[in-house]
Amino acid sequence: MPDTADILRLENLQVHFPVRGGLFDRVLGRPAGPVRAVDGIDLTVGRGEIVALVGESGSGKTTVGRVITKLAQPTGGRLLFEGRDMTSVQGFSALRPYRHRVQMIFQDAYQALNPRHTVFEIVAEPLRSLQLVDNGKQLALRVSEALASSGLNPPGDFFARFPHELSGGQRQRVVIAGALAVKPELIVADEPVSMLDVSIRAQILQVLLDLRDKHSLALMFITHDLPLAWLIADRIAVMYLGRVVEIGTADEITFNPRHPYTVALRNATPHIRGEADRAELPSLQGEVPSAARVPKGCRFHPRCPLAFDRCKEEQPPAIEVGPQHLSACWLEK
Ligand code: SF4
């Protein structure tokens, strides 16, 4: 179970990208940008805690993951790791200790693995580049441990294989092993099982849960899939158009959602919605609008069937609706 101490804290985190308007914007006199990919997020992850970041594509959840792993730079707010402000730390040498402790697992194992490198070389690479081993014997030991922890046994059987010689599940396990080899304390996993068969998904989720239990590893699990988030996470944060609109324990968000967007997300999932939910709100229509043209007021109001006048004018604050449960909706005021 999670430790109470926060390992990661995001304070009013923002990632805005400058954009120049297109021809249509100029003709229609529409102001262009900036793209508010992430627009004021407050979030914590405890040591050994699994927090799922859930939302549709375009919600900004992947950008949050990239900021945490220092693959993208925030334009505002703070990123604190174990209380230390990492927001403006940049450069390979300055970031080396951080990269040792925070790793990322990508969605697409095909792209994440160099097809010309063997499994051994792939898993050994971060150990070498971060200078975490002194000799070949230590290197082989750390690679073996990482492969075994990822469920690739016996590890030696995989050393000389190339990615094309592995199944989809084995490739994703190699990606996990590459992240684990450096013994991180926090892993950001961006849709790590979305490209896998259902039976393999369960195995990979079990690997991640075992790692948390054995090593107190903290995990930020990024997904568009609410039931999957409920299966693995302690808490769920629901993102919409660059903001967290609801956050709470996995059970609360899944079975007692308060924000109309979360309810609509749940209604889109046949096996967890009930008859009452279907009557309460229609399923989501359309897509998340562009983050270059964020609506005034509540960002969900153009798609929200419950919107009223105030929603169009004022952004609702996060309101406590239960223990550890916050929802940003004027219906709660
Ligand atoms: Fe819907 Fe208004 Fe609540 Fe936004 S604030 S989710 S528009 S009811």
Side-chain angles (χ1 to χ4, degrees):
M1 286 304 291
D3 195 319
T4 45
D6 293 338
I7 191 167
L8 179 82
R9 177 175 288 271
L10 307 179
E11 292 178 354
N12 192 25
L13 192 81
Q14 295 159 35
V15 185
H16 294 177
F17 300 111
V19 283
R20 291 180 56 200
L23 181 62
F24 282 117
D25 293 320
R26 287 200 288 275
V27 170
L28 296 173
R30 282 194 307 217
V35 172
R36 299 170 190 273
V38 178
D39 203 21
I41 284 197
D42 295 298
L43 195 62
T44 59
V45 181
R47 192 175 293 282
E49 184 182 31
I50 302 180
V51 175
L53 212 48
V54 176
E56 294 168 280
S57 109
S59 61
K61 57 192 190 305
T62 292
T63 307
V64 173
R66 291 175 62 80
V67 168
I68 294 168
T69 47
K70 300 299 283 182
L71 296 173
Q73 190 59 19
T75 50
R78 297 206 303 165
L79 160 65
L80 300 160
F81 185 77
E82 293 193 320
R84 187 179 164 210
D85 190 345
M86 298 298 299
T87 319
S88 39
V89 178
Q90 292 189 68
F92 183 82
S93 301
L95 280 174
R96 186 181 287 156
Y98 185 75
R99 296 212 189 285
H100 173 194
R101 300 170 79 187
V102 180
Q103 286 282 306
M104 185 151 190
I105 297 172
F106 294 95
Q107 171 182 14
D108 188 348
Y110 280 98
Q111 287 200 344
L113 301 177
N114 186 328
R116 286 196 287 270
H117 285 183
T118 63
V119 167
F120 184 90
E121 287 163 337
I122 289 166
V123 179
E125 196 279 329
L127 291 166
R128 285 195 180 111
S129 68
L130 294 172
Q131 299 173 2
L132 298 176
V133 285
D134 296 326
N135 54 52
K137 194 173 169 186
Q138 275 184 16
L139 184 66
L141 193 63
R142 291 283 288 266
V143 172
S144 290
E145 281 173 1
L147 290 174
S149 297
S150 310
L152 290 170
N153 285 303
D157 285 3
F158 293 88
F159 278 9
R161 293 209 212 163
F162 288 90
H164 71 269
E165 297 175 297
L166 304 172
S167 68
Q170 287 172 332
R171 272 194 290 271
Q172 193 56 290
R173 286 174 197 267
V174 173
V175 172
I176 293 172
L180 281 184
V182 303
K183 300 193 174 164
E185 288 157 63
L186 169 68
I187 286 185
V188 177
D190 188 1
E191 304 271 12
V193 296
S194 63
M195 297 179 78
L196 300 174
D197 292 342
V198 173
S199 58
I200 310 292
R201 280 184 189 191
Q203 294 170 20
I204 299 290
L205 291 181
Q206 193 57 54
V207 167
L208 295 173
L209 285 167
D210 289 347
L211 290 170
R212 186 272 290 277
D213 292 344
K214 281 186 200 144
H215 305 293
S216 269
L217 186 72
L219 188 67
M220 177 161 284
F221 191 89
I222 297 171
T223 179
H224 63 280
D225 189 329
L226 187 59
L228 198 61
W230 172 70
L231 269 178
I232 192 164
D234 301 302
R235 286 189 298 139
I236 296 176
V238 179
M239 275 193 79
Y240 187 82
L241 206 51
R243 292 206 170 196
V244 171
V245 296
E246 186 165 12
I247 185 166
T249 63
D251 281 347
E252 273 284 296
I253 297 296
T254 309
F255 300 112
N256 184 28
R258 298 289 289 260
H259 194 281
Y261 177 63
T262 315
V263 175
L265 267 188
R266 192 180 75 152
N267 281 0
T269 310
H271 51 284
I272 55 170
R273 72 181 183 188
E275 291 298 325
D277 303 325
R278 260 177 280 179
E280 201 178 310
L281 264 184
S283 293
L284 278 170
Q285 303 292 325
E287 295 180 354
V288 179
S290 163
R293 277 185 282 279
V294 170
K296 196 177 162 205
C298 173
R299 287 167 188 210
F300 189 49
H301 87 255
R303 295 172 86 193
C304 181
L306 305 178
F308 50 101
D309 286 349
R310 188 177 195 182
C311 308
K312 295 175 185 143
E313 298 302 325
E314 295 176 67
Q315 178 69 43
I319 296 158
E320 194 164 352
V321 293
Q324 295 187 66
H325 190 169
L326 301 169
S327 174
C329 174
W330 286 124
L331 292 171
E332 305 293 350
K333 272 278 184 190

